[in-house]
Amino acid sequence: MSRILYSGNRNASSWAFRAWLALREQNIDFEEVVIDIRRPQRWKNLAEIGSFSPPAAVPVLVDDETVIFDSSAIMEYANELGDGSLLPQDIKLRARARALVAWQHSTLGKVCPCLSFESAFYKEKKQLSAGEISSAEWIYGIWQQHLESIGGAYLLGEYSLADIALVPSVLRLTAHHGVGESYPLVVKWVERLLNRPCVQEWLTQAYALEPIYCEGYFSS
Ligand SMILES: N[C@@H](CCC(=O)N[C@@H](CS)C(=O)NCC(=O)O)C(=O)O
């Protein structure tokens, strides 16, 4: 039996982080191959991934002969290989979890696009524009309302794929703009989420790496 996760640099690959977290949180055995996605070697390395996975991107999970690309498919697979506890039993809560994952997957990255995942690990952070501050506050407000409506420790009550999908967004936004007292449930949720042992394991390795500077970060 062979199960290999092709992931990316700890301080660059937010998508690989999500897939890796879901596998680890479900105690799934796997081998990890970290693909260097820094430029310029990125193109050659990803072209090699393209020889067996059509999107030529990471993460990819190769479970014996089955190639599973895309972080959300890997997260769902990890949950099914494990005990299924990363999605709620209740159909409506499960749909809400998937809606949050889908939002992250489709458009949430467009909120403060200059605050990349890489930038969460910079020692010096840029000054946010008024627009970026109001976008971050808008998201914190949505998370606050969500947590209030659920009344639990995590977005759907129990820890789920929705929390996992949001870890990189939480990190890149809160690293630049702290969550204020107006969002008390978000303050607690962020603390809980970022202090999970698996999250900490990835982050400790990410902070130890040389930062990857994205062009235009300070001038945007
Ligand atoms: N929707 C994909 C996105 C994966 C993705 O964009 N991965 C980046 C690294 S974090 C990558 O390999 N990009 C290669 C490219 O864009 O050509 C997923 O969720 O797995």
Side-chain angles (χ1 to χ4, degrees), residues 13 15 37 42 46 56-59 70-71 105:
S13 187
W15 299 112
I37 59 166
R42 173 186 185 93
L46 289 174
V58 289
D70 203 283
S71 58
H105 220 61

Side-chain angles (χ1 to χ4, degrees), residues 87-96:
L87 279 175
Q89 289 299 304
D90 177 80
I91 185 172
K92 289 193 171 157
L93 285 181
R94 198 158 65 246
R96 287 178 74 179

